[in-house]
Amino acid sequence: MSQKQMKEAFVSNHNGTSVLEITEGLCLPALCILCRGLLIIVSQHLCCSSHTWRTRFFIDFAFLIVPLVTTLTIFASFVLLEYLIVIIFGAGLLYETYCRRTCYARMPVGKILEKFLKISIESEYIPAISCFRVINSAFTAVAILAVDFPLFPRRFAKTELYGTGAMDFGVGGFIFGTAMVCPEVRRKYTKGSRLYLTKLLYSVWPLVFLGVGRLVIIKSIGYQEHLTEYGVHWNFFFTLIVVKLITSLLLIIFPLNKSWIVAISITVFYQLALDFTPLRRLILYGSDGSGTRVGLLNANREGIISTLGYVAIHMAGVQTGSYVLKKRSHIKDWIKVACCILLTAIGFFISLYIVQANVEVASRRMANLAFCIWIVASCLILLSSLLLGDIILNFAKFLIKGATVPCSWKIIQSPAANRKYSESLVSETERKEPTLCLITAMNRNQLIFFLLSNVTTGLVNLLVDTLHSSTLWALFVLNLYMFTNCLVIYVLHLQDKTVKFW
């Protein structure tokens, strides 16, 4: 076998792992982000001088990126131990914050909680959504290179026919995260207007360029491919194009608050087509039943047909975004939102169990009903974890006067103030200063980060014999790769640069 064939075989024919194991690994970054915020608060209180951009970058990298690398590699079988360590560390930081509180020092905890529930926050910006998108981007960046090394558990790789692998979450999570902040949800322009249609077509051309560019480069250099992922010519960018066009047209016809009906309808009818028509056989075995790749549809059948499932996931993300981005200012309202999303996620996981037991097991290759339910459930539980984490972080900031944490809600009203007046806790200086935050930097240039990760992944694979790398060498390469990508994005942010293609 050639090196290319060996690498293709190494990432193929896998059956995935349990939904529970993936969910455990997915929610760990939410706890790490909470601990990172608590550490910043405690260090601000103990140290008079503010953090430099280098210090803040290393803190963010250590709490966001390093845990993802270890969870997907050497600590893959010890996720519960990681949880225990992070929970103990976070509880210690929260206790330290409470003991050193500068506000309500003589007040019992019950009274403090009562006052905390009355505070108002800046709600135009939802940090949990930014964190969600960044976690998914960072997870994908780590996984696309780590999968080529032996230390990456094969059960986390993309599944071949049925099952749930950690890498199967990537595309679905990206589409869901993009949908939550799509122009229709943010109401950037009026549906059906000429500007709307012009913007839609204008925003698609960069994806066409990237999709065609990736296709040409991959074919010209003979880079390894997982054929059953999308097909011969199809790739992630083409899926994004089709999803964007179809969902934009659907949102012209249907109101935002009915997106969930559209999502359910698409997945149910698609599953019925898989069950009662030759569609499943076509996706898995081609039109002749022997896996032919002759013809455009046969060559790209997985990528083309699975788009229906991703359209449903996008519509579910639109529904979630329109709910989360509603105007709310009181912290108790956001507690209700977080609990509501958490309960909805649990409901979806119960539905997933029923569907997999009675209809069909999840399949990334088909993006069937069970796969769509799994993606939405996983996205919702991650989003609820991030919302709850930010609420806890705001409680810690509430205890320490002047405490600020990048990429978290800002308290704008103190219950101690007179009802007629609000005490702004966000200074004008803080509003104007560039935020020293890796999460903000990655969210700002998410597409550039994704492209950079793909390019550096290709370079590493061309320069390093990943199949025969030792554990220590693989860990070094993975961390250096992520450090380089994150540093480039961070420097762009410090220079106040946002790279856009439209």
Side-chain angles (χ1 to χ4, degrees):
M1 293 177 70
S2 65
Q3 185 77 357
K4 177 188 175 183
Q5 291 172 325
M6 288 173 64
K7 288 191 173 185
E8 288 175 345
F10 192 59
V11 299
S12 303
N13 301 311
H14 301 296
N15 299 317
T17 184
S18 68
V19 170
L20 178 61
E21 185 176 22
I22 297 171
T23 305
E24 289 171 352
L26 197 60
C27 293
L28 182 65
L31 274 175
C32 293
I33 288 173
L34 172 59
C35 289
R36 162 242 187 205
L38 293 172
L39 180 64
I40 290 172
I41 292 172
V42 171
S43 62
Q44 283 175 349
H45 184 64
L46 294 177
C47 306
C48 296
S49 59
S50 59
H51 293 147
T52 63
W53 71 266
R54 295 178 184 83
T55 304
R56 192 60 63 79
F57 175 77
F58 279 106
I59 291 174
D60 288 352
F61 187 83
F63 279 88
L64 179 64
I65 306 300
V66 174
L68 276 173
V69 173
T70 56
T71 300
L72 289 172
T73 54
I74 55 174
F75 289 158
S77 299
F78 306 99
V79 177
L80 293 180
L81 178 62
E82 284 188 288
Y83 267 97
L84 181 63
I85 294 170
V86 173
I87 289 171
I88 291 173
F89 182 66
L93 289 172
L94 187 59
Y95 179 74
E96 183 71 14
T97 303
Y98 178 77
C99 291
R100 294 178 178 273
R101 64 189 185 278
T102 57
C103 300
Y104 314 107
R106 298 175 181 272
M107 193 176 288
V109 65
K111 291 288 185 181
I112 295 176
L113 287 171
E114 283 182 21
K115 289 189 173 292
F116 173 67
L117 292 175
K118 296 176 183 177
I119 67 169
S120 296
I121 55 174
E122 280 190 340
S123 58
E124 291 184 6
Y125 166 68
I126 315 299
I129 293 180
S130 297
C131 291
F132 176 97
R133 286 157 54 82
V134 167
I135 287 170
N136 189 66
S137 295
F139 164 82
T140 303
V142 173
I144 59 175
L145 179 59
V147 70
D148 296 317
F149 289 95
L151 85 166
F152 185 84
R154 295 300 97 188
R155 66 184 186 275
F156 287 172
K158 290 183 178 179
T159 53
E160 195 67 27
L161 288 175
Y162 291 99
T164 50
M167 289 188 71
D168 292 332
F169 174 78
V171 176
F174 185 91
I175 287 175
F176 189 94
T178 302
M180 285 195 291
V181 293
C182 69
E184 292 84 359
V185 172
R186 289 180 289 150
R187 304 180 190 278
K188 287 187 70 175
Y189 31 77
T190 308
K191 292 193 301 182
S193 66
R194 182 176 295 180
L195 178 62
Y196 176 81
L197 296 174
T198 304
K199 283 277 188 179
L200 172 62
L201 295 174
Y202 191 53
S203 65
V204 163
W205 78 261
L207 297 176
V208 175
F209 174 77
L210 293 171
V212 173
R214 186 184 190 281
L215 173 63
V216 170
I217 293 170
I218 291 295
K219 298 298 181 183
S220 61
I221 67 174
Y223 195 76
Q224 67 266 17
E225 298 177 84
H226 190 180
L227 190 63
T228 59
E229 183 178 358
Y230 293 109
V232 178
H233 312 104
W234 203 267
N235 58 50
F236 170 68
F237 296 108
F238 294 143
T239 296
L240 284 184
I241 293 166
V242 176
V243 168
K244 189 174 184 65
L245 291 173
I246 293 176
T247 53
S248 296
L249 293 174
L250 287 172
L251 290 170
I252 292 175
I253 302 169
F254 300 98
L256 282 176
N257 60 355
K258 296 296 186 292
S259 298
W260 65 276
I261 297 176
V262 179
I264 292 173
S265 300
I266 291 171
T267 51
V268 169
F269 283 114
Y270 178 44
Q271 186 62 48
L272 288 172
L274 289 172
D275 290 340
F276 298 106
T277 70
L279 189 60
R280 180 187 290 111
R281 182 175 177 273
L282 172 64
I283 296 172
L284 298 181
Y285 307 111
S287 58
D288 65 351
S290 61
T292 180
R293 292 288 174 179
V294 178
L296 186 64
L297 178 59
N298 277 313
N300 304 287
R301 55 184 184 265
E302 295 91 351
I304 294 172
I305 301 174
S306 67
T307 302
L308 286 170
Y310 291 116
V311 168
I313 291 169
H314 188 281
M315 296 303 288
V318 168
Q319 182 69 53
T320 305
S322 61
Y323 172 67
V324 174
L325 290 174
K326 283 182 180 177
K327 189 75 174 177
R328 300 177 183 89
S329 57
H330 295 290
I331 197 75
K332 60 183 177 182
D333 294 331
W334 283 105
I335 294 173
K336 292 177 183 177
V337 170
C339 293
C340 180
I341 293 175
L342 179 60
L343 290 173
T344 306
I346 293 170
F348 271 105
F349 278 118
I350 294 170
S351 301
L352 175 63
Y353 175 80
I354 295 170
V355 169
Q356 291 205 120
N358 298 283
V359 181
E360 188 177 33
V361 177
S363 171
R364 169 202 53 81
R365 196 165 167 181
M366 292 183 282
N368 59 0
L369 175 61
F371 177 81
C372 294
I373 293 173
W374 170 57
I375 292 294
V376 174
S378 301
C379 290
L380 290 178
I381 202 161
L382 174 57
L383 182 61
S384 64
S385 301
L386 290 166
L387 284 169
L388 291 169
D390 211 14
I391 290 166
I392 295 170
L393 192 58
N394 269 272
F395 177 70
K397 293 196 304 185
F398 178 68
L399 298 175
I400 304 290
K401 186 177 181 180
T404 58
V405 177
C407 200
S408 71
W409 275 313
K410 294 178 175 65
I411 300 172
I412 58 173
Q413 181 180 330
S414 169
N418 190 292
R419 289 184 181 181
K420 294 183 180 179
Y421 304 97
S422 62
E423 178 189 354
S424 176
L425 301 180
V426 187
S427 65
E428 289 301 317
T429 305
E430 183 190 343
R431 291 176 190 271
K432 293 177 182 178
E433 285 181 354
T435 309
L436 301 179
C437 177
L438 180 59
I439 296 172
T440 305
M442 289 174 66
N443 186 59
R444 181 177 185 173
N445 283 300
Q446 191 175 20
L447 184 58
I448 290 297
F449 178 78
F450 179 75
L451 293 174
L452 183 62
S453 300
N454 274 268
V455 171
T456 47
T457 294
L459 289 174
V460 171
N461 269 283
L462 292 173
L463 297 173
V464 177
D465 182 9
T466 57
L467 293 180
H468 303 98
S469 297
S470 65
T471 299
L472 286 176
W473 174 244
L475 279 175
F476 172 76
V477 171
L478 283 170
N479 280 289
L480 179 62
Y481 150 84
M482 287 302 296
F483 184 87
T484 304
N485 293 339
C486 291
L487 185 60
V488 170
I489 295 299
Y490 198 75
V491 170
L492 280 175
H493 175 63
L494 292 179
Q495 298 296 320
D496 201 24
K497 303 291 184 183
T498 302
V499 182
K500 286 188 176 182
F501 296 93
W502 60 85

